[in-house]
């Protein structure tokens, strides 16, 4: 079958493409420019000749951006979304708009022009679940991050990490709302990973181009941490190759329909990264 992967030049997405190719699918990736598409074709062609193609979608937030991309595809993995912990120079809308408009626009295009589409997998995040809790708390797919949305509206550009988290929470909400209200010909699954780390397959020519999670990991090596911080909790994580397999499973397994796949390889402290 032919699977569309949006934002195919991203850190996670290249691994998703590779997982799908390994499983025998053909893949169409959306990229923002031809050189990014050519890089990917050169990357995959030797091992999977003729199985990867790309189309250019310059801005996912543009209305009807995906009308052509969805034609003839059987399934979609929507990974494209801005991933930045931006400073007070950026209003929350700079993240929320592309995240939500990109998701809804893609689903609209798939409903109208993707008559073969049976399943759409949304790359969501722990960010769409995490809320402050007193003491230990066990998250499940029933949890929703309303807190970051409220913070983003309250603190605006000063909402820090909550701008990104709100963008993921609102994008995922718009995804499930579309499916329940529009009743399209496809069903949906969300993948909700924590921090993703692992080898880079996408094109990188300098450290300042690193994707956010890899940059955060790099910073742990590049800057000495105060000793007290070494044992501090540093979040949950998953290997990028496992996160990619989650996406491929989410596309293939019928019983995943309607679920939020909250996955993790465990939690880590800064010392774990150093080791
Ligand atoms: P990247 O920044 O590497 O990937 C983001 C992708 O989205 C890139 O391909 C980027 O294109 C594309 N993109 C962003 N904004 C736009 C836009 N306006 N128009 C078109 N394309 C756009 O980050 P990741 O691979 O880490 O993130 C992929 C997904 O995984 C995201 O949805 C993210 O929220 C989610 N996620 C990531 C986690 C992590 O720790 N890395 C954890 C949990 C979820 P370009 O390559 O041209 O910049």
């Amino acid at each position: 079958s032919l699977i569309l992967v949006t934002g195919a030049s991203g850190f996670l997405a290249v691994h998703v493409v590779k997982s799908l190719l390994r499983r025998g699918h053909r893949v169409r990736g959306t990229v923002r420019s031809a050189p990014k598409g050519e890089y990917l074709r050169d990357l995959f062609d030797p091992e999977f000749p003729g199985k990867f193609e790309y189309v250019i979608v310059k801005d996912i937030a543009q209305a009807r951006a995906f009308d052509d991309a969805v034609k003839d595809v059987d399934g979609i993995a929507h990974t494209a979304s801005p991933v930045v912990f931006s400073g007070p120079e950026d209003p929350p809308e700079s993240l929320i708009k592309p995240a939500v408009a990109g998701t809804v626009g893609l689903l609209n295009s798939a409903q109208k022009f993707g008559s073969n589409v049976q399943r759409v997998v949304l790359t969501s995040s722990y960010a769409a679940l995490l809320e402050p809790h007193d003491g230990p708390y066990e998250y499940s797919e029933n949890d929703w991050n309303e807190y970051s949305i409220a913070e983003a509206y309250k603190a605006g550009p000063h909402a820090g990490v909550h701008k990104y988290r709100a963008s993921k929470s609102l994008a995922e909400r718009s995804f499930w709302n579309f499916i329940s209200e529009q009743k399209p010909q496809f069903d949906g699954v969300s993948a909700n990973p924590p921090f993703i780390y692992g080898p880079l397959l996408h094109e990188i020519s300098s450290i300042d181009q690193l994707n956010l999670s890899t940059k955060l990991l790099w910073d742990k090596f590049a800057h000495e941490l105060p000793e007290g911080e070494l044992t501090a909790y540093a979040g949950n994580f998953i290997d990028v190759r496992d996160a990619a397999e989650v996406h491929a499973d989410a596309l293939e397994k019928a019983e995943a329909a309607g679920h939020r796949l909250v996955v993790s390889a465990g939690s880590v402290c800064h010392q774990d990264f150093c080791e």
Side-chain angles (χ1 to χ4, degrees):
S1 57
L2 176 62
I3 309 291
L4 180 73
V5 177
T6 69
S9 54
F11 164 56
L12 166 65
V14 186
H15 287 274
V16 174
V17 172
K18 192 168 185 184
S19 286
L20 292 168
L21 291 171
R22 275 210 188 110
R23 293 183 187 212
H25 301 286
R26 290 180 299 126
V27 176
R28 177 184 296 161
T30 75
V31 288
R32 290 205 250 207
S33 68
K36 290 187 184 196
E38 292 299 321
Y39 172 87
L40 293 176
R41 212 167 37 201
D42 290 347
L43 181 71
F44 292 122
D45 249 5
E47 201 177 343
F48 310 101
K51 301 287 184 190
F52 175 83
E53 62 187 49
Y54 70 88
V55 292
I56 292 173
V57 173
K58 283 212 171 76
D59 183 3
I60 53 173
Q62 291 276 307
R64 313 191 59 168
F66 292 104
D67 279 5
D68 290 331
V70 297
K71 282 178 186 147
D72 304 320
V73 304
D74 303 292
I76 301 174
H78 181 43
T79 82
S81 204
V83 192
V84 273
F85 291 167
S86 61
E89 67 284 1
D90 289 326
E93 292 71 37
S94 64
L95 292 164
I96 292 170
K97 188 176 175 248
V100 174
T103 301
V104 176
L106 171 68
L107 296 176
N108 267 317
S109 297
Q111 188 180 27
K112 289 201 187 91
F113 302 107
S115 53
N116 294 352
V117 178
Q118 290 168 24
R119 164 127 338 145
V120 180
V121 175
L122 173 74
T123 310
S124 186
S125 170
Y126 267 39
L129 286 90
L130 297 181
E131 285 203 319
H133 291 279
D134 293 327
Y137 180 83
E138 189 174 321
Y139 286 95
S140 78
E141 63 179 316
N142 299 320
D143 287 290
W144 276 100
N145 181 356
E146 307 285 355
Y147 179 83
S148 292
I149 299 170
E151 280 300 301
Y153 288 132
K154 200 168 68 192
H158 297 282
V161 69
H162 295 296
K163 293 185 284 184
Y164 170 72
R165 290 185 180 169
S167 81
K168 296 305 286 181
S169 203
L170 287 164
E172 199 196 321
R173 271 230 182 279
S174 70
F175 176 76
W176 292 118
N177 286 345
F178 186 99
I179 288 172
S180 66
E181 286 162 14
Q182 301 288 322
K183 303 193 177 17
Q185 73 280 17
F186 49 82
D187 59 22
V189 179
S190 71
N192 296 65
F195 277 115
I196 303 171
Y197 305 114
L200 310 187
L201 291 178
H202 65 300
E203 194 176 15
I204 282 291
S205 53
S206 66
I207 291 292
D208 59 356
Q209 287 181 357
L210 286 175
N211 68 289
L212 179 70
S213 58
T214 308
K215 179 70 168 55
L216 294 174
L217 179 59
W218 169 260
D219 286 344
K220 292 182 205 298
F221 300 104
H223 308 290
E224 216 165 293
L225 283 166
E227 217 165 273
E229 281 186 28
L230 284 174
T231 53
Y233 172 67
N236 278 44
F237 78 101
I238 187 167
D239 187 297
V240 68
R241 291 159 290 193
D242 294 331
E245 288 290 289
V246 170
H247 283 71
D249 280 344
L251 278 159
E252 287 180 348
K253 290 188 189 295
E255 64 270 30
H259 284 284
R260 306 172 75 204
L261 306 181
V262 184
V263 293
S264 171
S267 64
V268 278
C269 67
H270 296 286
Q271 181 66 39
D272 293 319
F273 287 116
C274 299
E275 284 168 12

